[in-house]
Amino acid sequence: MRSTAKDKNKSGFIGSFGRTNDPFPTLLAGSVSNFSFWYEGKEQEGYIRQLTPLECERLMGLPEGWTALGNGNRVISDYARYKALGNAIAVSCAEYIMAGIAETL
């Protein structure tokens, strides 16, 4: 997916990434420079662009700006924000797991 987005390979991107209404794939921390998606409706009219850290936070179910500030309210680089989000668990998944544990206990 990343290489096809970088190369602007439309058919390869759709084949590896999915279409407009498909679920979003896992955010990864390993290579954080190319989170991309197909934008604007129909695939033949769309284009590929990089997700912002804010959009990644929303996908994870986190509050807007959750990764924006670090210790002492210092601004965090986008690279560090992408890495943190790629190493995170989505809020909805955590809630589901914790509800199952609570039910069992």
Side-chain angles (χ1 to χ4, degrees), residues 2 24 26-37 49-60 62 66-68 76-89:
R2 290 185 181 109
F24 198 85
T26 302
L27 298 176
L28 304 173
S31 176
V32 298
S33 61
N34 289 313
F35 290 130
S36 302
F37 77 107
R49 75 167 179 83
Q50 184 172 335
L51 291 177
T52 67
L54 176 64
E55 290 168 325
C56 292
E57 288 170 340
R58 289 173 179 166
L59 286 169
M60 297 296 287
L62 297 169
W66 183 259
T67 61
I76 302 294
S77 71
D78 284 353
Y79 178 86
R81 293 177 74 186
Y82 286 127
K83 194 153 184 94
L85 290 160
N87 282 326
I89 182 172

Side-chain angles (χ1 to χ4, degrees), residues 92-105:
S92 58
C93 292
E95 288 173 344
Y96 179 81
I97 291 167
M98 296 308 289
I101 291 171
E103 186 179 308
T104 301
L105 296 177

Side-chain angles (χ1 to χ4, degrees), residues 67-77:
T67 61
L69 302 174
N71 188 23
N73 284 333
R74 290 183 302 187
V75 175
I76 302 294
S77 71

